[in-house]
Amino acid sequence: MAATAAEILIPTARGPARAHVTLPEGAAPPRAALVLGHGAGGGVGAPDLQAARKAALSAGTAVALIEQPYRVAGRRSAPPATQLDEAWMTVVEHLSTGELEGVPVITGGRSSGARVACRTASPTGAVAVLCLAFPLVPPMRAGAARPAASRLPELDAVTVPTLVIQGVRDRFGMPPEAAARNVVAIAGDHGLKADLAAVGEAVTRWLPAVLRPVRRGAARG
């Protein structure tokens, strides 16, 4: 049986978001659901998001790629973090009680989308978080008096298993590993386009380890 896909418009307080939901091949229910967001100025067609999507589907995991309301409305400039988080939590709650009901939910995204997933990991009930090209420290701007603040506290606040896939030449830097956080360094920069096979391989290795202790339906008690 071929994989099935659907586009769903989900109302939020910030306008409609769009979820591209794909169920894995076969008649068996998915083992889990991976919900991923895009970067600040990009979309769900980003190569690393698509590589992670393919790997997750092959592992029997449903995937939902989420377009934030500002992108659905055709805007490229992202709104404040509070608005991104609010819309994201609405989307995850909708999917968790609807199209993806009854399976553990892993959240994540690339760059800005990874930050959103980290900040909302607890309220969304995520059992794990996948970060593609986490923007650790913004490059210093010309004329700035001091470097921008690190976003490491956002990563450190996540208490569930976390995988960070980071390019070795990422201008935002390399996050450190931690007790519940694995960091996989691969060839390339912030775009993670240089070795998409490595992105897929990292996701393929990680998913079984984080899902093994999770009982179906237990994630959202």
Side-chain angles (χ1 to χ4, degrees), residues 149-170:
S150 170
R151 281 82 173 259
L152 184 59
E154 294 179 355
L155 272 174
D156 286 343
V158 181
T159 59
V160 294
T162 303
L163 174 65
V164 180
I165 303 176
Q166 202 83 351
V168 294
R169 294 184 287 105
D170 194 319

Side-chain angles (χ1 to χ4, degrees), residues 107-131:
T107 60
R110 75 157 276 106
S111 196
S112 172
R115 295 184 64 198
V116 173
C118 286
R119 292 193 299 261
T120 61
S122 179
T124 57
V127 300
V129 173
L130 171 62
C131 298

Side-chain angles (χ1 to χ4, degrees), residues 31-32 104 106 127-128 161 204-216:
R31 300 177 58 196
I106 301 166
V127 300
T204 298
R205 291 194 303 268
W206 179 68
L207 280 175
V210 298
L211 292 177
R212 192 174 299 119
V214 178
R215 302 190 310 275
R216 185 174 302 280

Side-chain angles (χ1 to χ4, degrees), residues 6-202:
E7 287 189 10
I8 305 166
L9 280 178
I10 300 173
T12 81
R14 303 299 170 181
R18 183 182 290 117
H20 303 258
V21 180
T22 308
L23 301 180
E25 295 181 5
R31 300 177 58 196
L34 176 61
V35 183
L36 296 173
H38 53 74
V44 296
D48 55 344
L49 285 175
Q50 291 296 322
R53 171 185 175 273
K54 182 179 178 181
L57 288 171
S58 296
T61 299
V63 179
L65 300 179
I66 309 303
E67 292 180 75
Q68 282 272 1
Y70 76 96
R71 294 295 289 154
V72 175
R75 299 189 298 273
R76 290 189 63 85
S77 180
T82 54
Q83 296 183 22
L84 293 173
D85 294 356
E86 179 185 24
W88 178 259
M89 288 188 288
T90 299
V91 168
V92 175
E93 178 64 24
H94 176 98
L95 294 173
S96 298
T97 57
E99 291 78 9
L100 302 176
E101 185 177 9
V103 296
V105 173
I106 301 166
T107 60
R110 75 157 276 106
S111 196
S112 172
R115 295 184 64 198
V116 173
C118 286
R119 292 193 299 261
T120 61
S122 179
T124 57
V127 300
V129 173
L130 171 62
C131 298
L132 303 172
F134 187 88
L136 184 64
V137 181
M140 191 170 179
R141 296 181 179 180
R146 57 179 180 271
S150 170
R151 281 82 173 259
L152 184 59
E154 294 179 355
L155 272 174
D156 286 343
V158 181
T159 59
V160 294
T162 303
L163 174 65
V164 180
I165 303 176
Q166 202 83 351
V168 294
R169 294 184 287 105
D170 194 319
R171 67 187 188 280
F172 289 88
M174 183 69 64
E177 291 205 333
R181 182 169 66 238
N182 293 332
V183 178
V184 176
I186 66 173
D189 53 20
H190 194 65
L192 292 182
K193 299 176 183 178
D195 195 347
L196 293 174
V199 174
E201 289 168 5

